[in-house]
Amino acid sequence: MHRRDFLHRLGAGAAGVWAASAFPRTGRAQTSSPAVRPNVLFITVDDLRPELGCYGNGIIKTPNIDRLAASGVTFTRAYCQQALCNPSRASLLSGLRPDSVKVWDLRVHFRDTVPEVVTLPEYFRKNGYRAEACGKVFHTNMDDRKAWDVPTFFPRASRLYSKGTLEHVDYLALKARAEGKGEAFIRDHVRGPATEVENCRDEERWDGEIAETAIRALYRLASAKQPFFLGVGFIQPHLPFVAPKRYWDLYDPKAIPEARNPYPPKKALMISLNANDELRDYEDFAETPPPWKGRLPEEKRRRLKHGYYASVSFIDAQVGRILNFLGRLGLAGNTIVVFLGDNGFKLGEHGSWSKMTNFEDDTRCPLIIRAPGAAGNGRKAEGLVEFVDLYPTVCGLAGLPRPDHLEGSSLGSLLNEPERAGKEAAFSQHYRRHVSAPLMGYTARTLTHRFVEWRYMDTGNVLGEELYDLIRDPLENVNIADSPENAKILEEMRALLRRTCPVRPRRGPALLASQSSDLRVELELVNELGEEVTIYEIDADGARRWVHSLVAGKQMVIDTFLTHPFVVESLSGEFHRVCYADYPRRRVVLRR
């Protein structure tokens, strides 16, 4: 049999040998001795809210994720630390809260704010693991070279859209350039349709290729002499919703219920809402109103939710392929499986689509952990937990010492006794710009209430507060912060929030942002590292812009401005430095 056929047969099918009965639900999760270190399969899914069968949704079809839940512990109240891809992933993979890792937007790379931090996969790599990744584990274009033994695999042979739609997107980009739009605008705002239905094979879409590559990685890693940490990052159900046609065919859009609260919360601060900016970037939804100005037509609402459900079922099939293959290789009994969505997602709730708020639909995420031998396998843990808890949890399950820098708590006790209480509160936050001043909204979520405090970042002064009674108002439809009868609980929640998120002035997201200067200078870089480096210019938003590659033994001169920062990073990721020019010229020798 050809190796390709062998891989296909092992990876195909949904049931396979990893059914729930194959994993014991008795015993206790044990830390492992160095001789029998467990493998780690770390699966992240973009924009996946707890809209799954194992979370009580009887319409959506997710049999493979449901089977994983039946053999692991399902956390019903798990919260990300910020409902946006880059900050959420930077936080959970570094073990630091957003204010500590200093990443609050899609532009800043955490290596430029906390260059010495050891990420979760890097820590496993330092402790004898082979660490590899397929797809979006760290945020796209924010991958970490130090984390992996080989560069992360990103899809190459597959497509986001059909060929015809891709040609149309190219036309839109040409049109934008002709109108004088810059490349940054085109990259961020010129997009095709928000949905597309094409009759194609799974492998012709990005996530199908990611699953295929993960299966090949497992096949190779299974014969290695060291344990592995394999990160697999799926991109759907992030917009656009482009699952193959057979997943759309699973649903009647009229049978999918719409949001129960398609209107903004009463008395909510306007800055607390998502203005639907992300959805408006897609060509066929350019006229989407913000939630305070109206709703989308019913046909468009149903098309979006249909597309989301189809995309989730598409991802479920890819997860099934990987877990099925893991079982056929005989690795399931010695592999920790972590499955999560990086943040939630609104599907019309509060009149919004996408994420980027502090509300429940945005911050609550699916989280399933299957630890070999855990007594709680097959049960639900209903206590409050946070994504910042994942780093110490996985370390503990693998028998690795807890790194000193972590800000979360291990969930090991809940894996053995899911009925135990979780945390007192889960904390999240989100960044906004208000009248050109940066704002941060911090939220504390307890079992009974959600409190939100919006502060000016540069001063720490409070702009406004929100309080929601989750017992009487679980959909967070009425802000009761200004009601006199709630003064005591408001004071208690405020104190609770400030213990974890203290009030202090902070610089905005662009920590290394270039400053305007008229004084031209030169920066000379000499590479004596013995390996190639990449040089990034940092723009006014704190984002990296590629400038040049500099091979070992060579030098280059950059004509720039006095206050302009550059980041130099080696291909291995072991060297990282922020460089500024001086007047009239500064020479920097790059060496360890």
Side-chain angles (χ1 to χ4, degrees):
M1 181 184 296
H2 193 279
R3 183 171 179 269
R4 171 188 287 271
D5 296 329
F6 172 71
L7 289 169
H8 177 73
R9 290 192 182 185
L10 284 182
V17 301
W18 64 276
S21 60
F23 301 93
R25 299 185 186 181
T26 58
R28 301 184 69 83
Q30 302 290 330
T31 56
S32 302
S33 67
V36 289
R37 294 281 194 217
N39 304 306
V40 179
L41 176 59
F42 198 88
I43 303 174
T44 65
V45 185
D46 216 341
D47 287 359
L48 180 66
R49 60 192 251 163
E51 200 93 347
L52 304 165
C54 54
Y55 280 85
N57 186 311
I59 296 176
I60 201 162
K61 294 174 174 56
T62 54
N64 298 291
I65 298 171
D66 297 345
R67 268 192 288 270
L68 174 63
S71 63
V73 176
T74 302
F75 293 85
T76 63
R77 292 189 177 99
Y79 293 85
C80 66
Q81 274 43 81
Q82 188 171 336
L84 187 62
C85 308
N86 188 34
S88 177
R89 293 164 188 259
S91 172
L92 73 90
L93 290 168
S94 68
L96 298 173
R97 296 186 184 276
D99 279 357
S100 296
V101 76
K102 298 180 179 66
V103 173
W104 303 289
D105 62 11
L106 297 178
R107 297 179 176 275
V108 175
H109 197 300
F110 71 90
R111 282 290 172 210
D112 298 339
T113 58
V114 284
E116 300 305 318
V117 72
V118 177
T119 64
L120 176 60
E122 180 188 359
Y123 186 66
F124 272 73
R125 186 183 175 200
K126 288 176 178 290
N127 281 276
Y129 277 69
R130 173 78 176 181
E132 297 188 16
C134 310
K136 186 178 177 180
V137 180
F138 290 93
H139 181 56
T140 307
N141 298 326
M142 299 289 178
D143 198 36
D144 184 35
R145 293 171 176 174
K146 295 177 69 174
W148 315 111
D149 284 284
V150 293
T152 297
F153 170 83
F154 290 103
R156 294 187 291 267
S158 54
R159 296 176 275 106
L160 174 64
Y161 290 116
S162 66
K163 293 180 180 179
T165 300
L166 288 175
E167 291 174 356
H168 178 66
V169 174
D170 288 342
Y171 163 75
L172 295 177
L174 288 173
K175 181 180 177 183
R177 291 187 185 96
E179 294 171 350
K181 300 292 195 303
E183 293 304 313
F185 176 88
I186 293 170
R187 181 189 63 249
D188 294 339
H189 301 292
V190 176
R191 300 176 182 175
T195 65
E196 185 180 53
V197 184
E198 183 186 13
N199 191 8
C200 61
R201 295 179 296 107
D202 288 10
E203 292 78 11
E204 294 181 65
R205 287 288 183 261
W206 285 350
D207 289 306
E209 187 180 358
I210 289 170
E212 183 75 15
T213 304
I215 288 171
R216 293 179 182 277
L218 284 173
Y219 180 79
R220 176 170 34 79
L221 293 168
S223 60
K225 295 181 179 180
Q226 62 187 130
F228 64 78
F229 183 109
L230 179 61
V232 182
F234 291 114
I235 299 167
Q236 293 273 280
H238 192 291
L239 283 164
F241 304 141
V242 291
K245 181 178 182 297
R246 66 190 183 100
Y247 298 102
W248 290 78
D249 292 343
L250 293 173
Y251 301 98
D252 174 4
K254 294 183 179 179
I256 300 175
E258 291 199 79
R260 291 181 288 166
N261 56 338
Y263 44 80
K266 295 179 181 178
K267 301 182 181 180
L269 301 174
M270 185 174 291
I271 57 169
S272 70
L273 302 174
N274 167 7
N276 293 325
D277 291 334
E278 181 179 7
L279 182 58
R280 261 196 304 277
D281 284 338
Y282 291 90
E283 181 186 25
D284 49 343
F285 283 82
E287 304 303 320
T288 300
W292 54 87
K293 288 189 176 181
R295 300 177 69 188
L296 286 169
E298 181 180 354
E299 183 277 328
K300 287 195 169 186
R301 299 195 307 266
R302 291 197 177 277
R303 175 152 55 96
L304 285 172
K305 198 156 187 181
H306 187 187
Y308 188 89
Y309 273 43
S311 297
V312 171
S313 291
F314 173 44
I315 294 305
D316 176 80
Q318 310 317 307
V319 171
R321 293 174 61 200
I322 294 171
L323 293 177
N324 185 44
F325 191 76
L326 184 77
R328 288 187 179 275
L329 287 172
L331 298 176
N334 190 42
T335 299
I336 301 161
V337 179
V338 179
F339 174 90
L340 61 92
D342 66 345
N343 47 249
F345 197 87
K346 278 193 172 66
L347 293 171
E349 292 85 4
H350 293 161
S352 292
W353 302 85
S354 188
K355 55 272 185 184
M356 296 178 281
T357 81
N358 282 318
F359 290 108
E360 185 84 357
D361 289 310
D362 297 39
T363 57
R364 180 172 170 251
C365 312
L367 173 62
I368 302 168
I369 300 177
R370 187 176 72 198
N377 281 345
R379 295 156 63 190
K380 296 183 186 296
E382 298 185 357
L384 295 167
V385 301
E386 302 177 282
F387 276 5
V388 76
D389 301 328
L390 286 172
Y391 196 145
T393 300
V394 181
C395 287
L397 292 174
L400 301 181
R402 174 193 169 102
D404 293 336
H405 75 275
L406 302 185
E407 295 183 335
S409 305
S410 174
L411 305 177
S413 60
L414 290 173
L415 292 173
N416 287 313
E417 299 177 83
E419 68 279 1
R420 292 182 57 151
K423 290 186 162 184
E424 180 182 13
F427 301 91
S428 305
Q429 60 190 90
H430 204 76
Y431 168 77
R432 290 276 193 267
R433 183 165 290 279
H434 176 63
V435 194
S436 75
L439 282 169
M440 189 68 76
Y442 295 91
T443 181
R445 200 277 194 206
T446 67
L447 291 175
T448 60
H449 291 83
R450 177 179 297 281
F451 172 71
V452 186
E453 184 174 71
W454 287 93
R455 307 173 192 160
Y456 288 100
M457 292 186 72
D458 55 352
T459 64
N461 294 337
V462 176
L463 173 70
E465 297 177 322
E466 298 170 77
L467 180 67
Y468 299 92
D469 186 332
L470 301 178
I471 304 301
R472 299 177 179 176
D473 178 25
L475 300 183
E476 301 172 326
N477 290 331
V478 183
N479 175 18
I480 57 173
D482 63 352
S483 300
E485 61 269 26
N486 296 314
K488 185 174 184 297
I489 185 64
L490 188 69
E491 181 180 353
E492 292 172 352
M493 292 294 292
R494 186 185 298 121
L496 174 66
L497 174 71
R498 292 182 178 185
R499 285 200 295 271
T500 295
C501 306
V503 177
R504 61 168 66 107
R506 300 180 186 277
R507 294 183 63 186
L511 296 175
L512 294 176
S514 59
Q515 306 295 318
S516 60
S517 171
D518 294 329
L519 186 60
R520 299 199 72 89
V521 292
E522 291 182 340
L523 176 63
E524 180 184 3
L525 299 174
V526 182
N527 185 1
E528 295 185 1
L529 286 172
E531 64 172 315
E532 184 178 327
V533 298
T534 304
I535 303 160
Y536 299 96
E537 176 186 5
I538 302 299
D539 70 11
D541 292 316
R544 290 181 173 189
R545 295 288 179 258
W546 180 81
V547 174
H548 202 75
S549 293
L550 184 60
V551 299
K554 298 294 183 178
Q555 65 188 64
M556 68 177 299
V557 176
I558 301 173
D559 182 30
T560 182
F561 295 97
L562 180 62
T563 54
H564 214 104
F566 293 83
V567 168
V568 180
E569 190 172 71
S570 63
L571 291 183
S572 66
E574 298 299 326
F575 180 88
H576 180 284
R577 184 170 178 180
V578 179
C579 300
Y580 295 85
D582 201 352
Y583 181 80
R585 181 175 180 146
R586 183 185 181 193
R587 189 173 190 264
V588 177
V589 178
L590 306 174
R591 61 167 67 102
R592 289 184 173 87

